[in-house]
Amino acid sequence: MAMLTRTRFLAGLVAITLVGTLPAPAAEAPTVFAAASLKNALDDIAKSYTKEGKPAPKVSYAASNTLAKQIEQGAPADLFFSADLDWMDYLAKKDLIRPDTQVSLLANSIVLIAPKDSKAEVKMAPGLDLTPALGSGKLAMGNVDAVPAGKYGKAALETLGGWAGVKDRIAQAESVRAALLLVSRGEAPLGIVYATDAAADANVKIVATFPADSHPAIVYPVAITKESRNPDTSALLSYLRGPAAKAAFEKQGFTVLNRSATAAQ
C-alpha cells in the first residue's frame, strides 16, 4: 500500500512538472473589420506590426455598411474601421462601440476613373455631363444608398448637376473595390472610387478629381467595439495612430487626421 501511494505521488509530481513546462498559449490576435479601401495600407501595417513581435491582426475587408451590420448581428470584431462617420454613428447609437476610443484617423478624396487606355475627357465643373464619356456603358459606383464611396459620389454628382443624366445608368457595386474592379477589367467605361483605390490599380487612370466641397468630408473613423475582450486591441489602435502606420497610410495616398471623436465634432 505504501509503495502504491508513493507511485501515485511521483506520477502526480511528474504530471505537475510537465504542465508547468508547457509553453503558454499564443496571444489571440485582434480582429479588425475594415473598409475595403483600406486593404493595401492595412495589409502593410499588419506586416510591420507583426515584425515587432505582436500577434498579426485578423482583418476582414468589406463595405462599411456590410461590416456595421455584421457587428450589429453579433460578429466578433475588436476594431471597426469605417470609411465614413455615418456607419460608425450607426453602431454608436446602438451602443456597440466604445465612444471613448473613437478616432477620426484618415481623410480621402473621390475621383472619376477610366480604364488606363481610355481617351475619355471630363471637365469637372458645375453642369457636369458624363454621358458623352460613358457612351453606351454604365458608371461603376458603390451602392449609392449604403456604401460610403457611393454616397459620396452621388452627393458630388448632385452638387455638380450630373446626377440626373446618369442615375439610370449606374452599375452599383457591393463595395468601392468591386466598383474599381469593373473599370479595371474594362466592364465599365467610368467609375467613381477613392483616390487611394485608383492609385492601387495600374489598370485604371484618374480622369478627374471631384472638388472637396461637392460632397461631405471623407473621414475614416476607427473605434474599439463594445464587445471586444482582447487585451491587445488597445495596443493595435495605438499602433494605427503611430508613426509607422502614418507612413503606410500616406504611402497609399491617405491624409492622416488622427483626431479624437471629441475634437472631430
Side-chain angles (χ1 to χ4, degrees):
M1 179 64 71
M3 180 61 71
L4 181 59
T5 301
R6 177 179 173 78
T7 300
R8 287 175 176 172
F9 172 77
L10 290 175
L13 185 61
V14 170
I16 291 172
T17 302
L18 288 174
V19 171
T21 59
L22 289 176
E28 181 72 15
T31 297
V32 182
F33 277 22
S37 52
L38 290 163
K39 179 171 173 52
N40 296 69
L42 286 187
D43 282 354
D44 287 345
I45 291 168
K47 291 176 183 176
S48 63
Y49 187 68
T50 304
K51 287 180 180 178
E52 296 193 5
K54 302 290 187 180
K58 297 175 291 186
V59 188
S60 178
Y61 298 106
S64 301
N65 56 298
T66 298
L67 297 171
K69 291 289 188 177
Q70 289 176 351
I71 291 172
E72 181 183 16
Q73 293 165 9
D78 295 297
L79 274 178
F80 177 47
F81 204 157
S82 175
D84 74 355
L85 291 167
D86 288 348
W87 286 109
M88 185 65 76
D89 290 345
Y90 177 86
L91 291 184
K93 290 174 181 177
K94 294 180 179 294
D95 195 29
L96 292 173
I97 64 161
R98 287 170 45 189
D100 58 309
T101 67
Q102 184 177 332
V103 177
S104 291
L105 191 55
L106 305 173
N108 209 339
S109 57
I110 53 171
V111 295
L112 183 71
I113 61 169
K116 65 179 181 180
D117 57 354
S118 171
K119 305 300 183 185
E121 294 184 4
V122 172
K123 183 179 180 181
M124 192 62 67
L128 176 66
D129 183 7
L130 296 182
T131 55
L134 275 178
S136 60
K138 292 189 175 184
L139 176 65
M141 299 174 62
N143 183 293
V144 299
D145 296 317
V147 176
K151 291 160 58 181
Y152 292 130
K154 179 182 178 182
L157 290 172
E158 288 178 331
T159 298
L160 296 173
W163 177 248
V166 299
K167 64 180 181 179
D168 296 323
R169 301 179 61 187
I170 305 295
Q172 298 196 55
E174 64 183 11
S175 73
V176 68
R177 283 298 173 100
L180 175 69
L181 196 58
L182 289 174
V183 180
S184 180
R185 290 176 173 174
E187 296 172 17
L190 295 175
I192 297 177
V193 299
Y194 297 116
T196 51
D197 294 307
D201 192 326
N203 291 317
V204 304
K205 68 177 184 180
I206 295 176
V207 176
T209 299
F210 288 90
D213 61 0
S214 67
H215 55 78
I218 301 174
V219 176
Y220 286 62
V222 58
I224 297 175
T225 64
K226 190 69 173 289
E227 296 302 315
S228 175
R229 298 293 181 268
N230 193 309
D232 288 323
T233 304
S234 293
L236 177 58
L237 178 57
S238 295
Y239 192 83
L240 290 173
R241 302 185 69 181
K246 182 176 187 290
F249 286 130
E250 290 179 340
K251 178 183 176 182
Q252 298 299 328
F254 289 98
T255 298
V256 177
L257 303 174
N258 206 357
R259 299 193 304 247
S260 68
T262 302
Q265 293 175 352

